[in-house]
Amino acid sequence: MALMHEPTAPYHSAQDALRVLETVARHSAGITDTELARRTRLSAERLTALLRMLRREGYVEQITDGAYVTGDTLRRLTSAHDRERALRDKIQHTLNRLRDSVGAAVYMSRYVDGEVRVTQYAAGPATPAVNEWVDFRYSAHATAVGKSLLTQLDHNGRRDHLSRHKMPRLTSRTITSDKLLLSRLEAQPPTVPVLDLQEYAIGTVCAAVPITAGASVGCLALSLPVEHAHRLKQAADTLNRSAAPMLLSLTI
């Protein structure tokens, strides 16, 4: 399976954040923001935004003289002991915070062994999760999650998936033509969230943005009741901006 690699803004942010973290990690006694700017060659504005994100996520900490050192999150994620649990906990914490900030159920999904899998999600009484009335593995053609994952595959990878899964009509809005779906996937800009406007379930709208780390295809998604559809674009933009911390967690 080949992937379509066109770097998105979250990807570039994660790469810049990694440069900062690598520099901080090399200075166990701490490093100032001025020295970080010099060594990473990032603008002061860019570095300030990255350091704000890294502090919020627990990747760096400031010590008494204002210098930066590695934070607890980075230490746990780079530890050989129980790294998988630390990563899962970190992703769940990020999802929970994102759910509260966008006011929607949010999901982390991966394309694993040729199948769509929702690996983690955050929902609540005021932000209910989508009712999975048709298994997400068999409805990629109709969901924002599935379409976002498929856009990250090459043409042969998409055709392989569709050859193994029928495209039933789930609502009157569902695309059931593989030719039409492939055309839509081909034309989807990687920087624009993929939408599901009641294609999977009547009464629900969704958006998803790509999160690809190395050879691992993933996406971050949200769902809203259709009466909140007017909030979908703004929520999707917030989701896109929040993809960098999630991508960073997966990359470390």
Side-chain angles (χ1 to χ4, degrees):
M1 177 187 68
L3 309 182
M4 301 294 288
H5 286 293
E6 185 169 342
T8 59
Y11 174 86
H12 289 303
S13 293
Q15 290 300 303
D16 287 347
L18 279 174
R19 286 166 59 192
V20 173
L21 285 179
E22 288 167 356
T23 305
V24 172
R26 288 196 295 268
H27 296 78
S28 57
I31 181 171
T32 65
D33 52 1
T34 301
E35 185 66 10
L36 272 171
R38 188 179 72 81
R39 291 181 178 271
T40 61
R41 297 182 181 178
L42 294 169
S43 69
E45 182 181 7
R46 178 69 167 160
L47 180 60
T48 297
L50 288 170
L51 286 171
R52 186 183 304 118
M53 182 270 283
L54 291 170
R55 287 183 65 189
R56 184 185 70 235
E57 299 292 330
Y59 288 110
V60 300
E61 299 170 358
Q62 264 188 305
I63 52 181
T64 51
D65 64 355
Y68 291 89
V69 295
T70 56
D72 184 58
T73 296
L74 183 63
R75 289 191 290 269
R76 285 188 286 115
L77 286 179
T78 54
S79 170
H81 176 66
D82 216 6
R83 181 187 182 279
E84 287 303 313
R85 180 176 178 179
L87 177 59
R88 187 171 183 84
D89 289 348
K90 175 58 183 167
I91 289 175
Q92 191 62 49
H93 177 75
T94 304
L95 289 174
N96 291 345
R97 189 177 63 235
L98 188 55
R99 171 201 60 203
D100 296 338
S101 66
V102 300
V106 292
Y107 312 79
M108 177 68 192
S109 302
R110 310 291 286 277
Y111 195 72
V112 182
D113 297 330
E115 300 295 348
V116 172
R117 295 185 184 176
V118 175
T119 53
Q120 289 178 249
Y121 71 96
T127 53
V130 173
N131 174 32
E132 191 178 352
W133 75 284
V134 176
D135 193 314
F136 290 140
R137 291 176 297 173
Y138 309 128
S139 54
H141 65 294
T143 65
V145 162
K147 289 185 287 183
S148 179
L149 294 175
L150 291 177
T151 61
Q152 297 174 67
L153 308 182
D154 65 5
H155 183 76
N156 290 335
R158 296 167 189 164
R159 289 219 58 102
D160 171 71
H161 183 91
L162 297 180
S163 71
R164 293 182 286 106
H165 296 286
K166 295 180 180 179
M167 296 174 57
R169 185 176 299 280
L170 305 182
T171 77
S172 62
R173 296 172 177 266
T174 306
I175 296 175
T176 58
S177 161
D178 59 350
K179 183 177 180 180
L180 176 57
L181 180 64
L182 287 169
S183 174
R184 294 274 180 89
L185 295 176
E186 190 72 30
Q188 175 69 32
T191 55
V192 177
V194 177
L195 303 181
D196 159 15
L197 304 177
Q198 301 189 88
E199 296 169 53
Y200 173 75
I202 295 298
T204 301
V205 294
C206 306
V209 296
I211 297 182
T212 302
S216 177
V217 171
C219 73
L220 191 59
L222 65 83
S223 65
L224 287 167
V226 71
E227 55 265 29
H228 291 280
H230 61 282
R231 294 203 294 116
L232 185 62
K233 184 182 186 303
Q234 183 178 2
D237 289 342
T238 301
L239 193 75
N240 210 10
R241 291 194 300 272
S242 302
M246 192 72 75
L247 183 56
L248 183 60
S249 299
L250 296 170
T251 305
I252 291 174

